[in-house]
Amino acid sequence: LKLLVMSLVKRNTVFPSLLNEILNTDWYGGLENNSPNTAPVNIKENEKDYTIELLAPGREKEDFNIEVDKNILSVSVVDEKVNTDVKEKFSLKEFSVKSFKRTFSLPDTINEDSINVTYNNGILKFTLPKKEEALPKPKRLIDIA
């Protein structure tokens, strides 16, 4: 009975989606990730660099296409469907590997020539060093003339 009642309830998904796009800005050039087909990320900043960690388990490093152009960092994976003749009958099949693309607007303070990327234990990790002029300067004393 509960399943029948739940199937009758329909939601207007367009309006909440528009509200989410307006209200859930992540301030790093994108929107909060609520899509099941988009790889989730963590973004951290310290004095010397930014770190982006992108969750993408079950991949090989060759699967990723990573580009930087005009302060836009793009990460994508395109899964090509492999036609295999599987004769197994599944009762439930939830495993699936999906294509995705994430883009990030980089601040002008990033040294694009020194971006480092590693892939370990299902996490694609970007280290985005800041330019020398963006690093905090040490405190100094100024003499009165």
Side-chain angles (χ1 to χ4, degrees):
L1 179 64
K2 186 175 183 181
L3 180 61
L4 177 62
V5 172
M6 291 304 291
S7 66
L8 294 176
V9 176
K10 293 188 178 184
R11 296 182 182 178
N12 179 358
T13 58
V14 174
F15 186 67
S17 174
L18 291 174
L19 278 178
N20 284 339
E21 287 182 21
I22 294 168
L23 299 176
N24 290 337
T25 303
D26 71 5
W27 308 114
Y28 285 102
L31 297 174
E32 185 178 81
N33 175 24
N34 292 322
S35 171
N37 294 334
T38 304
V41 296
N42 292 329
I43 301 175
K44 299 181 265 187
E45 179 184 11
N46 62 39
E47 290 181 0
K48 296 181 180 181
D49 57 32
Y50 290 90
T51 302
I52 300 174
E53 297 172 324
L54 185 137
L55 183 63
R59 306 281 184 182
E60 299 293 328
K61 66 180 184 177
E62 294 81 17
D63 295 341
F64 297 98
N65 182 26
I66 302 168
E67 299 174 352
V68 176
D69 185 33
K70 299 178 186 169
N71 289 355
I72 302 292
L73 172 66
S74 299
V75 183
S76 62
V77 170
V78 177
D79 288 321
E80 297 178 13
K81 301 287 183 199
V82 178
N83 291 333
T84 56
D85 231 1
V86 178
K87 296 183 182 190
E88 297 179 67
K89 184 177 178 183
F90 290 92
S91 298
L92 176 65
K93 186 175 179 184
E94 293 183 338
F95 286 8
S96 67
V97 183
K98 298 187 173 153
S99 300
F100 67 84
K101 182 173 184 176
R102 290 294 301 254
T103 58
F104 304 93
S105 297
L106 301 179
D108 292 332
T109 57
I110 295 296
N111 184 351
E112 291 183 5
D113 296 329
S114 299
I115 294 174
N116 183 36
V117 184
T118 59
Y119 182 66
N120 191 19
N121 295 327
I123 297 176
L124 189 65
K125 183 177 180 180
F126 296 82
T127 304
L128 307 153
K130 294 179 181 178
K131 292 179 182 175
E132 198 66 37
E133 60 267 16
L135 297 176
K137 297 189 179 9
K139 181 171 67 171
R140 65 183 182 99
L141 293 174
I142 300 174
D143 292 329
I144 300 173

